[in-house]
Structure formats: C-alpha cells, structure tokens
Amino acid sequence: MSEEFCEKSLSVPIRSLEELKTWKPLTDRTRSQFVQQCFTATGPGGSFREQSTKNVPKTLICHDMKGGYLEDSFIEGCSNAEAYSFIQWGIIDIFVYFSHHFITIPPPCWVHAAHLHGVPILGTIITEWDEGTATCTKIFSSKDAVNEFVNSLTELTLHHNCDGWLINIENSLEETLIDNVLYFLRRLKQELVFAGNCGKIIWYDSVTKDGKLDWQNELNAKNKDFFDSCDGIFLNYVWKPIDLANSAILAKERIFDVYVGIDVFGRNCFGGGGFNTDAAFSVVRQYNLSAAVFAPGWIYECHPIEQFKELSFKFWSLLFPYMNLHGPNSLPIRTSFCPGYGQGKYDSGQLVDNKPWHNMSRQQLQPCLAAVRGLFEVKGNTFDILKCGSTNTFGKQDVCDTDAFNGGGCLNIQSSTDAVFPLFFCEIPVIRPMTLAVILKTNSNHPLLLKLGFMLSNTFPITMSCPLVPRVDQFCSAADDEHQSTPIVSSLEFDSCCNFLDGSLCRSMTNSSGWDIRLFQIRLSEQVVNSVQLKSICIESQGETDCKIGYLCCF
C-alpha cells in the first residue's frame, strides 16, 4: 500500500476554514486504493439507492459520542472487537455523524455501512463561540465567498462519498449576513445535486433570521426562512407538545421535513431520555412529525461495555413501534450477516485469524429487524407484524460473533416453539427466475423453512416455502391449482449454480466446517413476469430450533 495512503489511513475532521482551503483530494492512484479499502458498498461516485422512500415520518440518528473519531477513525480497522457498533439500519432513514469540529467528515466505515443499507449519511458543519462568529463573517461576507466555500464543500463531499450536511451555526451573526446564509443553503444543495450527489441539507434550529443565537424548539417565523431554503430542520430538543402542534401547522405539506430533536441523554428533554426516549417519540409521532435522535451512543457511554448488546436491543425495541421499516429494493441480496467485528476472521467456514477485530467497512447487510431481535418481545398492534403472511410466534434473532461462515459473525436464530424469523422486508420486482442460496449450521431435526412472500399485481399475496431442514432434493411446489400463475420452487444441485455465487466463497467449503448449503430456484410463469414483487424473506421453524445462518444470497 502506498506511503500516501498510509498517511491518510486515519479519518480526521477539518478544524478551520484555512485548513479547508488547503485541503486536496488524494491522487487518482491513491484514491483508487482508498475507494477499494473503504467504500465497498457503492464504489466510487457515491451513487446508491436510498431504501426509505416512503412518504411517512422519518427517523434521523445524530451520532455524537465522546467527541467522535474514536476506533471508527482507523480506516483499516482496529483490534477492539468491543468498540461501538451499529446494526439498526433497517429502522432509520438518515444518519448524521456529529462532532464539535468545524467540518465533521463521516469516517469511511460509517459511509460503507450506511450505504450498504440504503441510508443516506451526512456530515456536520458547525461553528461555535467567538471563533465561530469570526469564521461565519468570512464565509458569508459576500456571495463570492459563499461560492468559494460551496465549491470546496462539494469537492469534499464527493471525495468522501457522503450525502450532504447538517448545518449547525451555534453563534450569533450580523443580521446583514443572513441573506448570504440562505443563499449558501440553496447553493450548496444545488451544486451537490448537480454533481450527482443526494445533496441533503438540514438546518439546526439555532440562529434566527435576525442573526441571534436563540433556539426556538419549534418551526416558526424566526427560523422558517432557513427551513424553506433546504431539505429540513432539526429542532432543538427543549420542546413542549404545543411547540410540535405549531410546527406541524406551519410546515403544511412539508411536515415530514421537520425533525424533532430528542436527546437520549435527556438534557431538558421531554420524557427524560434514556430508556424513556420512547415517551418523546410517542408525542412526536402524534403530530406526524419526523424525529431526530441525538446521541444514542448513551447506551455505550453510560453502561458497562459487556451490557451494550443487551441494552442496545432493549433501547431500540422500545422505539421500534414508531419506526419506518425498510429493506432491500433490488437484487442481488448477498450477506454473511457479519456485523463488522468479531473474535476472529472466517473464510468459507474456516477460522483464518483468531485475533479480535473491528471494522464496520466490513459489515455485511443486516436483517431489517436486527434492532429488536426479531419480534420476539414486541407487543401491541402499532406495527403490522403480520407482513410475512404468518400468525405464528416471532422468534429471537441476534448476532453471533464467535462463529461465522465469512467475516466475524453470523445470524443466530432461536426459539423453543414454532416461530417466524423475518430477515428482510423488500420491494423488489421479479422479472426472471430467482436463485437462492442459504448456508446454515444446525443440529435441530425440526422442520426449518426459508419462506418468501410475493405480491402478484399488487393484490394477490403468495407465500413460497423452501425446506432447509430436513434436506429435500425433490419436492412439490406450494402453487395452488386455482392460481396457475403462482411461482414454482425447486431445489438445485450445488454445482449447477456455484458460478453465480461470490467467487470461491462456497466452492472452497469443507465438510469439517460444519456448514451446509441449500440451493433453490424460483421460476415464474411467463404471464406474470413484470407483475410480481418479492415482499419478504423469512425463516420459519416448526418446533424448537437453534440455528446459525452464515450466508444468504438471492439473485
């Protein structure tokens, strides 16, 4: 690896306007190494398909933890397997990486993980105190100065593959500069979109239209000009329900662009934060507003590290009923479920390195209910938990970091009775025969099925079952006689489609690894091609089960 890349192997912020002016992108050769190392989810150019496109209230996560740039700043990863990690991508809509440096650039590992799950990721531009006032005076002194700043930010954004910025001016301004601040918001959005970037620009509720630092805690006449000039406003978190009512009325058709701040540390925040954060969420959703969750790293910072996984499930389970669930929207789907860390590294089921590691640039696609261990303990009817077409109990699923097929971890599923394990809820058009591969490890003798939910012509649901346990080489399709258009499922021999899988991932499997492979093909009738959507991928157990899923591929 080149000397220049090694020098750049630590992700850092930009601390001043002068530093931004001297910043230069990596050379083409080193940039290629940088992309290969860091942006495996999307490749160069920053293009990805945003998954959460529904017209519903959104959830923004603002990651502010211990000043930022901790173990996540090491581009090639670190040896601390217990470093902070995040797998709850399937229930959030925007991720913001935050610190108190002038320009906070999201480390590449966060960009990879967010884009892999179709979540846009924003950096932060913040100015504070007297130094911030001086910086703003330079940036907004004229339209030419603004243009120069926008050009530098655009180049920086494209180079680091992020999708926009949270703008947080936490200092007073001369009122005469406000017009140029509004121009800046519009121009930055325009330039990023023109360059092919998502260009999401969100304003933090701090400075008012007269230049005063005066947090409003609602959308009102004092901050609406900023809201009108960008993609949304992140309200300060010291609000009361009446403030949300006022915001909803003023926002009108842009109601989902109002992100109500909720501080997990509970500083003067409704509900007090912590494991009572759902109290604030409930009120926010009553007014049909989006939510901005600030500093969920509280779970990690304020509790013993060995409890992080357990408490993380608890925290997100409480918020789950208010979240917008999303999943893959195109084929192929490929994942080993590796969370981006582990106690060792595995390749094709074999342990190749027994040292602990952490690198979210190696995170694989996580199941959409990773946040809550499936729906094992979720009660009530605030979320449609029957999307899979089953009324059975939902089983428990979590990450195993002591065994894997590829990477540092796999998906562990457990239940003492009949259960369904939702993996992915999808919106994927099916236009050709589909091949599925599942690599698993289990000693259970109870039937275990891979279940696919389809929708025909947006009206007729179809469920197909592929038996994982016991192994069945020949079986009948679940197609019913009344609907001849139902897809047909059949098993395949491993050799017949191994070339379609990830290189040598499966061909090098050995019997000693304990992993087993199942392959299936779904064939469509010609009369329904272009009218079928894949809606869900689940695993269903018929009886007690304890199983590890090391790899799933659908193409």
Side-chain angles (χ1 to χ4, degrees):
M1 191 167 290
S2 74
E3 181 178 343
E4 182 184 3
F5 181 79
C6 290
E7 290 176 354
K8 299 290 186 180
S9 61
L10 191 67
S11 183
V12 295
I14 289 179
R15 296 175 174 84
S16 68
L17 186 58
E18 290 68 31
E19 188 176 331
L20 175 64
K21 290 179 178 178
T22 60
W23 175 85
K24 287 182 173 54
L26 299 172
T27 62
D28 289 344
R29 178 180 177 184
T30 310
R31 168 65 177 164
S32 178
Q33 290 178 291
F34 183 65
V35 167
Q36 185 177 12
Q37 179 78 11
C38 307
F39 300 136
T40 55
T42 57
S47 60
F48 77 104
R49 295 188 64 180
E50 185 176 350
Q51 289 181 357
S52 180
T53 57
K54 300 173 185 176
N55 192 28
V56 295
K58 302 293 195 295
T59 299
L60 177 153
I61 297 299
C62 192
H63 177 64
D64 174 31
M65 196 176 82
K66 297 182 178 180
Y69 298 100
L70 305 172
E71 289 93 344
D72 54 4
S73 66
F74 295 101
I75 290 176
E76 297 177 33
C78 69
S79 60
N80 180 13
E82 295 183 332
Y84 182 80
S85 61
F86 186 83
I87 60 173
Q88 288 79 21
W89 300 103
I91 59 173
I92 73 167
D93 305 289
I94 300 175
F95 187 91
V96 177
Y97 193 84
F98 183 94
S99 80
H100 287 273
H101 300 289
F102 174 45
I103 299 178
T104 299
I105 305 165
C109 62
W110 285 105
V111 177
H112 161 83
H115 284 181
L116 180 68
H117 296 87
V119 174
I121 180 168
L122 313 186
T124 304
I125 300 170
I126 187 171
T127 59
E128 299 177 283
W129 313 108
D130 292 343
E131 182 182 355
T133 298
T135 298
C136 288
T137 300
K138 294 176 183 178
I139 294 172
F140 304 121
S141 60
S142 67
K143 284 185 170 54
D144 287 343
V146 169
N147 291 338
E148 182 182 356
F149 186 50
V150 166
N151 291 341
S152 297
L153 284 178
T154 300
E155 190 173 18
L156 190 73
T157 307
L158 298 177
H159 179 79
H160 287 279
N161 223 16
C162 55
D163 306 299
W165 300 92
L166 171 67
I167 311 298
N168 187 7
I169 297 179
E170 296 267 3
N171 49 260
S172 59
L173 295 173
E174 291 293 333
E175 188 172 357
T176 55
L177 299 178
I178 295 301
D179 283 347
N180 282 342
V181 174
L182 300 174
Y183 172 74
F184 161 69
L185 295 174
R186 295 190 297 267
R187 183 62 189 272
L188 181 58
K189 168 78 175 179
Q190 180 185 51
E191 289 300 307
L192 288 175
V193 171
F194 183 76
N197 189 266
C198 282
K200 288 186 183 294
I201 307 299
I202 295 178
W203 176 262
Y204 190 80
D205 163 33
S206 50
V207 170
T208 59
K209 67 178 183 179
D210 57 4
K212 294 180 180 178
L213 180 59
D214 186 10
W215 300 271
Q216 297 299 296
N217 303 296
E218 67 173 2
L219 179 65
N220 60 28
K222 292 185 177 182
N223 56 26
K224 190 172 183 294
D225 288 348
F226 304 106
F227 176 70
D228 291 340
S229 299
C230 64
D231 295 296
I233 187 168
F234 183 146
L235 296 183
N236 194 48
Y237 43 77
V238 190
W239 47 263
K240 297 178 177 60
I242 186 62
D243 300 322
L244 305 191
N246 294 337
S247 300
I249 292 170
L250 188 58
K252 296 181 180 178
E253 69 277 1
R254 290 191 62 198
I255 190 170
F256 301 148
D257 295 334
V258 178
Y259 295 84
V260 180
I262 302 173
D263 182 13
V264 181
F265 277 83
R267 292 161 286 201
N268 300 313
C269 182
F270 185 96
F275 292 113
N276 203 37
T277 297
D278 59 315
F281 242 102
S282 175
V283 176
V284 171
R285 292 303 198 232
Q286 284 177 28
Y287 293 98
N288 216 23
L289 295 166
S290 293
V293 182
F294 187 77
W298 168 86
I299 310 163
Y300 187 91
E301 286 190 61
C302 298
H303 301 88
I305 291 176
E306 60 270 17
Q307 296 180 19
F308 172 63
K309 182 193 288 190
E310 208 60 39
L311 294 179
S312 185
F313 282 124
K314 176 181 177 180
F315 179 83
W316 295 106
S317 294
L318 292 168
L319 301 187
F320 180 78
Y322 309 105
M323 300 299 207
N324 169 34
L325 186 65
H326 59 83
N329 52 24
S330 64
L331 295 178
I333 299 171
R334 289 190 176 98
T335 181
S336 68
F337 300 101
C338 174
Y341 62 87
Q343 298 304 318
K345 292 181 181 178
Y346 292 78
D347 184 6
S348 299
Q350 300 297 310
L351 180 65
V352 295
D353 189 341
N354 64 0
K355 299 183 183 67
W357 64 280
H358 190 287
N359 185 352
M360 289 211 311
S361 286
R362 297 293 173 258
Q363 187 176 91
Q364 294 273 297
L365 190 67
Q366 296 298 302
C368 54
L369 299 184
V372 292
R373 290 190 163 178
L375 291 173
F376 189 62
E377 296 177 345
V378 173
K379 299 177 182 179
N381 57 4
T382 53
F383 187 82
D384 180 13
I385 64 172
L386 303 179
K387 286 185 178 180
C388 296
S390 171
T391 57
N392 290 359
T393 303
F394 284 80
K396 173 182 173 182
Q397 59 185 29
D398 61 9
V399 172
C400 170
D401 65 352
T402 57
D403 194 8
F405 179 73
N406 194 45
C410 62
L411 183 66
N412 189 47
I413 59 176
Q414 296 175 313
S415 180
S416 59
T417 184
D418 294 0
V420 175
F421 306 88
L423 301 183
F424 300 106
F425 294 126
C426 319
E427 298 285 343
I428 302 177
V430 181
I431 59 175
R432 61 178 64 89
M434 289 172 48
T435 299
L436 295 101
V438 179
I439 296 177
L440 71 159
K441 182 184 288 189
T442 182
N443 293 320
S444 174
N445 294 320
H446 294 287
L448 194 67
L449 308 172
L450 179 69
K451 301 200 76 171
L452 306 177
F454 296 91
M455 185 67 72
L456 176 61
S457 301
N458 293 319
T459 57
F460 177 53
I462 307 167
T463 300
M464 304 298 297
S465 296
C466 305
L468 301 175
V469 178
R471 182 173 189 140
V472 178
D473 294 325
Q474 293 185 349
F475 55 92
C476 297
S477 162
D480 63 52
D481 296 332
E482 182 180 351
H483 298 94
Q484 296 300 319
S485 58
T486 302
I488 305 299
V489 60
S490 60
S491 62
L492 295 174
E493 292 297 326
F494 170 63
D495 290 342
S496 67
C497 75
C498 62
N499 289 330
F500 293 98
L501 300 178
D502 288 342
S504 62
L505 179 65
C506 300
R507 280 176 288 208
S508 60
M509 286 177 64
T510 63
N511 292 333
S512 61
S513 70
W515 294 95
D516 203 1
I517 187 169
R518 303 285 188 269
L519 294 168
F520 307 94
Q521 187 172 70
I522 310 293
R523 300 191 306 276
L524 300 173
S525 167
E526 292 184 3
Q527 66 200 63
V528 300
V529 170
N530 297 322
S531 62
V532 174
Q533 276 198 332
L534 176 63
K535 303 291 285 187
S536 63
I537 302 176
C538 307
I539 290 178
E540 180 176 321
S541 66
Q542 297 178 356
E544 182 179 359
T545 190
D546 188 347
C547 177
K548 294 174 182 175
I549 307 297
Y551 183 76
L552 181 143
C553 180
C554 180
F555 57 94

Short mmCIF file of all heavy atoms in Angstrom, two decimals, residues 473-503:
data_model
loop_
_atom_site.label_atom_id
_atom_site.label_comp_id
_atom_site.label_asym_id
_atom_site.label_seq_id
_atom_site.Cartn_x
_atom_site.Cartn_y
_atom_site.Cartn_z
N ASP A 473 -34.25 -32.98 -1.69
CA ASP A 473 -33.71 -32.75 -3.03
C ASP A 473 -34.81 -32.61 -4.07
O ASP A 473 -34.63 -31.96 -5.09
CB ASP A 473 -32.76 -33.89 -3.42
CG ASP A 473 -31.51 -33.89 -2.54
OD1 ASP A 473 -31.06 -32.79 -2.17
OD2 ASP A 473 -31.02 -34.97 -2.21
N GLN A 474 -35.93 -33.24 -3.84
CA GLN A 474 -37.06 -33.13 -4.76
C GLN A 474 -38.32 -32.92 -3.94
O GLN A 474 -38.58 -33.66 -3.01
CB GLN A 474 -37.19 -34.38 -5.62
CG GLN A 474 -36.04 -34.57 -6.59
CD GLN A 474 -36.27 -35.77 -7.50
OE1 GLN A 474 -37.19 -36.56 -7.26
NE2 GLN A 474 -35.44 -35.89 -8.52
N PHE A 475 -39.09 -31.90 -4.28
CA PHE A 475 -40.31 -31.62 -3.53
C PHE A 475 -41.27 -30.88 -4.43
O PHE A 475 -40.91 -30.35 -5.47
CB PHE A 475 -40.01 -30.81 -2.27
CG PHE A 475 -39.27 -29.53 -2.53
CD1 PHE A 475 -39.95 -28.34 -2.75
CD2 PHE A 475 -37.89 -29.53 -2.58
CE1 PHE A 475 -39.26 -27.18 -2.99
CE2 PHE A 475 -37.20 -28.36 -2.82
CZ PHE A 475 -37.89 -27.18 -3.03
N CYS A 476 -42.50 -30.87 -4.01
CA CYS A 476 -43.54 -30.22 -4.80
C CYS A 476 -43.62 -28.74 -4.44
O CYS A 476 -43.41 -28.34 -3.31
CB CYS A 476 -44.90 -30.87 -4.55
SG CYS A 476 -44.95 -32.59 -5.07
N SER A 477 -43.98 -27.95 -5.43
CA SER A 477 -44.19 -26.52 -5.19
C SER A 477 -45.45 -26.32 -4.37
O SER A 477 -46.34 -27.15 -4.33
CB SER A 477 -44.31 -25.79 -6.53
OG SER A 477 -44.92 -24.54 -6.35
N ALA A 478 -45.52 -25.14 -3.74
CA ALA A 478 -46.72 -24.79 -2.97
C ALA A 478 -47.78 -24.13 -3.85
O ALA A 478 -48.76 -23.59 -3.34
CB ALA A 478 -46.34 -23.84 -1.83
N ALA A 479 -47.59 -24.13 -5.15
CA ALA A 479 -48.56 -23.50 -6.04
C ALA A 479 -49.91 -24.17 -5.91
O ALA A 479 -50.02 -25.39 -5.85
CB ALA A 479 -48.08 -23.59 -7.48
N ASP A 480 -50.99 -23.38 -5.84
CA ASP A 480 -52.30 -23.99 -5.74
C ASP A 480 -52.94 -24.06 -7.13
O ASP A 480 -52.57 -23.34 -8.05
CB ASP A 480 -53.21 -23.25 -4.75
CG ASP A 480 -53.50 -21.83 -5.15
OD1 ASP A 480 -53.93 -21.63 -6.30
OD2 ASP A 480 -53.32 -20.92 -4.30
N ASP A 481 -53.86 -24.98 -7.28
CA ASP A 481 -54.44 -25.23 -8.59
C ASP A 481 -55.27 -24.07 -9.10
O ASP A 481 -55.42 -23.87 -10.30
CB ASP A 481 -55.33 -26.49 -8.51
CG ASP A 481 -54.50 -27.72 -8.20
OD1 ASP A 481 -53.30 -27.72 -8.56
OD2 ASP A 481 -55.04 -28.66 -7.59
N GLU A 482 -55.80 -23.27 -8.16
CA GLU A 482 -56.67 -22.19 -8.57
C GLU A 482 -55.90 -21.06 -9.23
O GLU A 482 -56.40 -20.37 -10.10
CB GLU A 482 -57.42 -21.65 -7.33
CG GLU A 482 -58.41 -20.55 -7.66
CD GLU A 482 -59.12 -20.06 -6.41
OE1 GLU A 482 -58.95 -20.71 -5.35
OE2 GLU A 482 -59.83 -19.06 -6.50
N HIS A 483 -54.65 -20.86 -8.83
CA HIS A 483 -53.85 -19.77 -9.36
C HIS A 483 -52.62 -20.36 -10.06
O HIS A 483 -51.58 -20.56 -9.45
CB HIS A 483 -53.42 -18.80 -8.25
CG HIS A 483 -54.57 -18.15 -7.57
ND1 HIS A 483 -55.13 -18.65 -6.42
CD2 HIS A 483 -55.30 -17.04 -7.90
CE1 HIS A 483 -56.13 -17.87 -6.04
NE2 HIS A 483 -56.25 -16.89 -6.92
N GLN A 484 -52.75 -20.64 -11.34
CA GLN A 484 -51.68 -21.26 -12.10
C GLN A 484 -50.48 -20.32 -12.28
O GLN A 484 -49.43 -20.76 -12.73
CB GLN A 484 -52.20 -21.72 -13.47
CG GLN A 484 -53.27 -22.80 -13.38
CD GLN A 484 -52.76 -24.06 -12.70
OE1 GLN A 484 -51.63 -24.48 -12.93
NE2 GLN A 484 -53.58 -24.67 -11.84
N SER A 485 -50.66 -19.05 -11.95
CA SER A 485 -49.58 -18.09 -12.11
C SER A 485 -48.61 -18.09 -10.93
O SER A 485 -47.62 -17.39 -10.93
CB SER A 485 -50.13 -16.68 -12.28
OG SER A 485 -50.92 -16.33 -11.16
N THR A 486 -48.90 -18.90 -9.90
CA THR A 486 -48.02 -18.95 -8.73
C THR A 486 -46.63 -19.43 -9.12
O THR A 486 -46.49 -20.38 -9.88
CB THR A 486 -48.61 -19.91 -7.68
OG1 THR A 486 -49.90 -19.47 -7.32
CG2 THR A 486 -47.73 -19.95 -6.44
N PRO A 487 -45.54 -18.79 -8.63
CA PRO A 487 -44.19 -19.24 -8.95
C PRO A 487 -43.96 -20.68 -8.51
O PRO A 487 -44.58 -21.18 -7.58
CB PRO A 487 -43.31 -18.27 -8.15
CG PRO A 487 -44.16 -17.07 -7.95
CD PRO A 487 -45.55 -17.59 -7.80
N ILE A 488 -43.04 -21.33 -9.18
CA ILE A 488 -42.69 -22.72 -8.90
C ILE A 488 -41.31 -22.73 -8.25
O ILE A 488 -40.38 -22.08 -8.72
CB ILE A 488 -42.67 -23.57 -10.19
CG1 ILE A 488 -44.00 -23.45 -10.93
CG2 ILE A 488 -42.35 -25.02 -9.87
CD1 ILE A 488 -45.19 -23.95 -10.14
N VAL A 489 -41.16 -23.49 -7.17
CA VAL A 489 -39.88 -23.57 -6.48
C VAL A 489 -39.32 -24.98 -6.62
O VAL A 489 -40.04 -25.97 -6.59
CB VAL A 489 -40.04 -23.21 -4.98
CG1 VAL A 489 -41.00 -24.13 -4.27
CG2 VAL A 489 -38.69 -23.22 -4.27
N SER A 490 -38.01 -25.06 -6.83
CA SER A 490 -37.35 -26.36 -6.92
C SER A 490 -35.96 -26.25 -6.33
O SER A 490 -35.38 -25.17 -6.25
CB SER A 490 -37.27 -26.82 -8.37
OG SER A 490 -36.54 -25.90 -9.16
N SER A 491 -35.41 -27.40 -5.92
CA SER A 491 -34.05 -27.40 -5.38
C SER A 491 -33.05 -27.55 -6.52
O SER A 491 -33.37 -28.02 -7.61
CB SER A 491 -33.88 -28.55 -4.38
OG SER A 491 -34.07 -29.79 -5.03
N LEU A 492 -31.81 -27.14 -6.26
CA LEU A 492 -30.75 -27.23 -7.25
C LEU A 492 -29.57 -27.97 -6.65
O LEU A 492 -29.35 -27.94 -5.44
CB LEU A 492 -30.28 -25.84 -7.68
CG LEU A 492 -31.27 -24.94 -8.43
CD1 LEU A 492 -30.64 -23.57 -8.62
CD2 LEU A 492 -31.65 -25.54 -9.76
N GLU A 493 -28.79 -28.60 -7.52
CA GLU A 493 -27.53 -29.15 -7.08
C GLU A 493 -26.53 -28.00 -6.90
O GLU A 493 -26.57 -27.01 -7.63
CB GLU A 493 -26.99 -30.15 -8.12
CG GLU A 493 -27.82 -31.42 -8.24
CD GLU A 493 -27.82 -32.22 -6.95
OE1 GLU A 493 -26.79 -32.22 -6.24
OE2 GLU A 493 -28.84 -32.83 -6.63
N PHE A 494 -25.63 -28.14 -5.95
CA PHE A 494 -24.68 -27.07 -5.66
C PHE A 494 -23.88 -26.68 -6.89
O PHE A 494 -23.73 -25.51 -7.22
CB PHE A 494 -23.76 -27.50 -4.52
CG PHE A 494 -22.60 -26.58 -4.32
CD1 PHE A 494 -22.81 -25.26 -3.94
CD2 PHE A 494 -21.30 -27.01 -4.49
CE1 PHE A 494 -21.75 -24.39 -3.75
CE2 PHE A 494 -20.24 -26.15 -4.30
CZ PHE A 494 -20.47 -24.85 -3.93
N ASP A 495 -23.39 -27.68 -7.64
CA ASP A 495 -22.52 -27.39 -8.79
C ASP A 495 -23.25 -26.63 -9.89
O ASP A 495 -22.63 -25.99 -10.72
CB ASP A 495 -21.95 -28.68 -9.36
CG ASP A 495 -20.93 -29.31 -8.42
OD1 ASP A 495 -20.43 -28.57 -7.54
OD2 ASP A 495 -20.65 -30.51 -8.56
N SER A 496 -24.58 -26.71 -9.90
CA SER A 496 -25.32 -26.13 -11.02
C SER A 496 -25.35 -24.62 -10.99
O SER A 496 -25.64 -23.99 -11.99
CB SER A 496 -26.75 -26.67 -11.04
OG SER A 496 -27.45 -26.21 -9.90
N CYS A 497 -25.08 -24.00 -9.86
CA CYS A 497 -25.12 -22.53 -9.84
C CYS A 497 -24.02 -21.91 -9.01
O CYS A 497 -24.09 -20.74 -8.69
CB CYS A 497 -26.47 -22.01 -9.39
SG CYS A 497 -26.75 -22.17 -7.64
N CYS A 498 -22.98 -22.67 -8.69
CA CYS A 498 -21.95 -22.09 -7.83
C CYS A 498 -21.23 -20.93 -8.51
O CYS A 498 -20.72 -20.04 -7.85
CB CYS A 498 -20.93 -23.15 -7.39
SG CYS A 498 -20.02 -23.91 -8.74
N ASN A 499 -21.22 -20.91 -9.84
CA ASN A 499 -20.56 -19.83 -10.54
C ASN A 499 -21.27 -18.50 -10.34
O ASN A 499 -20.70 -17.44 -10.61
CB ASN A 499 -20.47 -20.14 -12.04
CG ASN A 499 -19.47 -21.25 -12.34
OD1 ASN A 499 -18.51 -21.41 -11.61
ND2 ASN A 499 -19.72 -22.00 -13.39
N PHE A 500 -22.52 -18.53 -9.92
CA PHE A 500 -23.27 -17.29 -9.71
C PHE A 500 -23.04 -16.71 -8.33
O PHE A 500 -23.43 -15.59 -8.06
CB PHE A 500 -24.77 -17.55 -9.90
CG PHE A 500 -25.14 -17.90 -11.31
CD1 PHE A 500 -25.30 -19.21 -11.68
CD2 PHE A 500 -25.31 -16.91 -12.26
CE1 PHE A 500 -25.64 -19.55 -12.98
CE2 PHE A 500 -25.65 -17.24 -13.56
CZ PHE A 500 -25.81 -18.57 -13.93
N LEU A 501 -22.44 -17.49 -7.44
CA LEU A 501 -22.23 -17.02 -6.07
C LEU A 501 -20.95 -16.19 -6.01
O LEU A 501 -20.31 -15.92 -7.03
CB LEU A 501 -22.17 -18.21 -5.12
CG LEU A 501 -23.44 -19.06 -5.11
CD1 LEU A 501 -23.28 -20.24 -4.18
CD2 LEU A 501 -24.64 -18.22 -4.70
N ASP A 502 -20.58 -15.75 -4.86
CA ASP A 502 -19.45 -14.83 -4.71
C ASP A 502 -18.11 -15.53 -4.91
O ASP A 502 -17.47 -15.98 -3.96
CB ASP A 502 -19.47 -14.19 -3.31
CG ASP A 502 -20.59 -13.19 -3.17
OD1 ASP A 502 -21.11 -12.75 -4.21
OD2 ASP A 502 -20.95 -12.86 -2.04
N GLY A 503 -17.68 -15.61 -6.15
CA GLY A 503 -16.38 -16.18 -6.44
C GLY A 503 -16.20 -17.56 -5.85
O GLY A 503 -16.98 -18.47 -6.11
#
